[in-house]
Amino acid sequence: MAATRRIVIENCSIATVDVADTEYASGYLVVAGNRIEAVGAGKAPEGLENVVRRIDASDHLVTPGLVNTHHHFYQWITRGLATDHNLFDWLVALYPTWARIDEEMVYAAAQGSLAMMARGGVTTAMDHHYVYPKGTGDLSGAIIRAARETGVRFTLARGSMDRGASDGGLPPDFAVETLQGALAATEATIDEHHDASFDAMTQVAVAPCSPFSVSTELLKQAAELARVKGVRLHTHGSETVQEEKFCRELFGMGPTDYFASTGWLGEDVWMAHCVHMNDSDIAAFARTGTGVAHCPSSNARLAAGIARVPDMLAAGVPVGLGVDGTASNESGELHTELRNALLINRLGAHRETALNARQALRLGTHGGAQVLGRANEIGSLEPGKLADLVLWRLDTLAHAAIADPVTALVFGAAAPVTLSLVGGEPVVENGRLVHVDEDAIARSTRAEARRLARIAARDLSR
């Protein structure tokens, strides 16, 4: 690395989120190319060559970049609707509108979702996109293009639905794909976009939507496809009591047993929500290494319940954090989930011992990297890992009187991001996105939201 360009960050608090939770009250970090070269206490070593940038990060905390493990970008243009609904009623209310999206809408919504997350410290994002109306363009390509332009690392969970209303599912029939059509399109997306390399910027997962919108055969064949292709699997699981009832009535078993019967438990699988899990369910996830994307704000917004995150962690279940779609979490950023994961779980059985600030930070960084299968590359600040990191400013009115920087970040208001690096490249500088114009994105998302509303109102009035 002697000839590699270096960035030196000094005089900052550092939370490495490594296996020992190593922290430095005043330390340094050296980035060489796209990797972390060194991290430690005190000043950076003297005599480093090719230093192109030296940052005095006094009054800042440096952490790994936040990792989002569950989202639906397209929902950015349907925020603020059905605000007093539970999950099933919310889906029934919104599916007719969602089924009318097209490529331009999806691109704008992806831009909005990514911009909001990136400027709030997310360096690795994911999108579970499962609505593919016929003849509406290259929706997956539009999402991936928006992520590439924003500059964040990205996983597209290529979703699918083949159980429409006439088959007992929730989505309208015209919003679902055929079994073979969904599988073929998913395979094509993997072949075109998935990058399995260490420093990949784009990866693809196989992601049928949920038990109440997907046939058993699609679940089984999707799992087989993912394992042939060597990619991960993602879906919704155990989100509500209604889902539990649905699975028992239709399949004669609860969601976890149903997923096990279709090949959907394993180290290559992660599921969103997992709110209604009993001891046996948690044990099954721990035994198989199945991961969980915990989405506390969305779970509260839809009155789904409180996931048993402390029990999952104690059992050894990999757990990360998810924004979830912004039609059920209008803030659309992940820092909120650090705070809400801690606060909401303290309303559960474990009360004040449920989670602490450092556990919450771990969920949003290393936990997310585990869930996405990238813990060897990202999620902690260690030599050899990718230089995905965030400098949080903690000397403003919102945080200056809080002595402990990790407590300030998690318990406090959203901290300003002075610098966010992805692979050593700036994505945010002084609170502003580097590669995209967020004001232009705000205008385009408003325009596409209004266009979608007009189309849906016209079609539904017929």
Side-chain angles (χ1 to χ4, degrees):
M1 288 198 177
T4 304
R5 296 188 314 153
R6 289 182 169 85
I7 298 172
V8 177
I9 303 168
E10 294 182 293
N11 305 319
C12 49
S13 300
I14 301 174
T16 68
V17 200
D18 65 8
V19 67
D21 269 331
T22 305
E23 296 182 14
Y24 302 103
S26 181
Y28 70 90
L29 192 143
V30 179
V31 173
N34 70 347
R35 308 285 183 95
I36 297 169
E37 183 177 50
V39 58
K43 294 287 187 179
E46 297 290 335
L48 292 172
E49 298 180 358
N50 299 310
V51 175
V52 298
R53 186 172 183 183
R54 189 177 291 272
I55 300 168
D56 180 358
S58 300
D59 299 314
H60 284 73
L61 170 67
V62 180
T63 73
L66 300 183
V67 179
N68 182 33
T69 62
H70 186 66
H71 210 315
H72 308 295
F73 289 175
Y74 75 91
Q75 293 181 15
W76 185 267
I77 57 175
T78 59
R79 292 187 296 165
L81 304 176
T83 55
D84 303 311
H85 292 50
N86 65 30
L87 175 67
F88 273 41
D89 293 342
W90 175 82
L91 289 171
V92 169
L94 291 176
Y95 265 135
T97 297
W98 293 338
R100 288 161 172 84
I101 58 174
D102 60 25
E103 184 175 339
E104 292 77 14
M105 294 173 189
V106 168
Y107 174 66
Q111 283 188 307
S113 296
L114 287 157
M116 194 68 190
M117 285 188 292
R119 76 172 196 171
V122 168
T123 56
T124 297
M126 71 81 66
D127 183 31
H128 183 192
H129 188 84
Y130 52 84
V131 183
Y132 288 90
K134 296 178 181 66
T136 54
D138 182 7
L139 305 189
S140 293
I143 296 163
I144 290 169
R145 176 161 53 100
R148 186 182 304 117
E149 291 168 352
T150 307
V152 298
R153 216 171 293 283
F154 181 59
T155 294
L156 174 68
R158 204 291 180 183
S160 53
M161 301 185 293
D162 70 338
R163 185 193 294 275
S166 64
D167 293 323
L170 289 181
D173 286 347
F174 65 87
V176 304
E177 300 173 279
T178 65
L179 168 65
Q180 292 307 319
L183 291 169
T186 301
E187 183 172 12
T189 303
I190 296 167
D191 291 343
E192 183 175 359
H193 295 292
H194 181 69
D195 181 355
S197 61
F198 181 88
D199 58 353
M201 291 298 291
T202 304
Q203 296 195 332
V204 177
V206 176
C209 182
S210 65
F212 44 83
S213 58
V214 169
S215 68
T216 299
E217 194 58 32
L218 178 54
L219 278 177
K220 288 180 177 178
Q221 292 193 38
E224 293 168 1
L225 172 64
R227 287 166 181 140
V228 167
K229 292 292 185 179
V231 301
R232 298 180 73 75
L233 299 92
H234 180 59
T235 192
H236 297 88
S238 300
E239 186 173 359
T240 65
V241 291
Q242 293 99 322
E243 180 184 336
E244 172 88 15
K245 180 181 178 182
F246 181 93
C247 288
R248 292 199 178 278
E249 289 179 351
L250 201 62
F251 311 122
M253 62 187 87
T256 299
D257 289 338
Y258 175 61
F259 283 126
S261 74
T262 57
W264 272 78
L265 295 183
E267 293 182 352
D268 55 355
V269 179
W270 86 102
M271 297 190 196
H273 303 294
C274 299
V275 174
H276 297 278
M277 302 265 283
N278 60 32
D279 290 347
S280 176
D281 297 330
I282 292 173
F285 272 52
R287 183 174 61 253
T288 58
T290 305
V292 171
H294 176 45
C295 306
S297 295
S298 176
N299 293 344
R301 159 77 148 80
L302 297 173
I306 302 172
R308 295 174 58 188
V309 172
D311 296 328
M312 294 177 192
L313 295 175
V317 176
V319 182
L321 292 180
V323 170
D324 203 7
T326 49
S328 65
N329 179 5
E330 276 76 2
S331 73
E333 58 92 33
L334 201 66
H335 176 271
T336 303
E337 305 314 300
L338 299 178
R339 190 170 189 265
N340 283 352
L342 186 151
L343 297 179
I344 290 174
N345 277 281
R346 288 189 177 186
L347 296 175
H350 296 272
R351 312 301 288 180
E352 69 276 7
T353 65
L355 290 176
N356 60 39
R358 283 158 178 83
Q359 288 173 308
L361 178 60
R362 178 170 289 276
L363 290 176
T365 53
H366 186 267
Q370 277 187 299
V371 163
L372 295 184
R374 306 196 69 173
N376 291 331
E377 306 158 60
I378 59 174
S380 60
L381 302 178
E382 301 179 74
K385 285 198 168 184
L386 294 167
D388 293 9
L389 57 92
V390 180
L391 278 69
W392 307 91
R393 184 177 175 185
L394 298 179
D395 65 344
T396 66
L397 175 64
H399 304 93
I402 304 176
D404 177 65
V406 176
T407 295
L409 178 68
V410 175
F411 278 84
V417 173
T418 295
L419 179 68
S420 174
L421 299 180
V422 177
E425 295 294 327
V427 172
V428 177
E429 291 263 15
N430 296 316
R432 298 291 292 184
L433 295 164
V434 171
H435 302 297
V436 294
D437 182 343
E438 62 188 71
D439 296 326
I441 291 172
R443 291 191 294 270
S444 67
T445 56
R446 172 175 285 195
E448 293 302 323
R450 289 175 172 174
R451 184 165 71 89
L452 176 58
R454 287 195 301 270
I455 291 170
R458 178 198 67 201
D459 291 354
L460 293 173
S461 67
R462 291 176 177 173

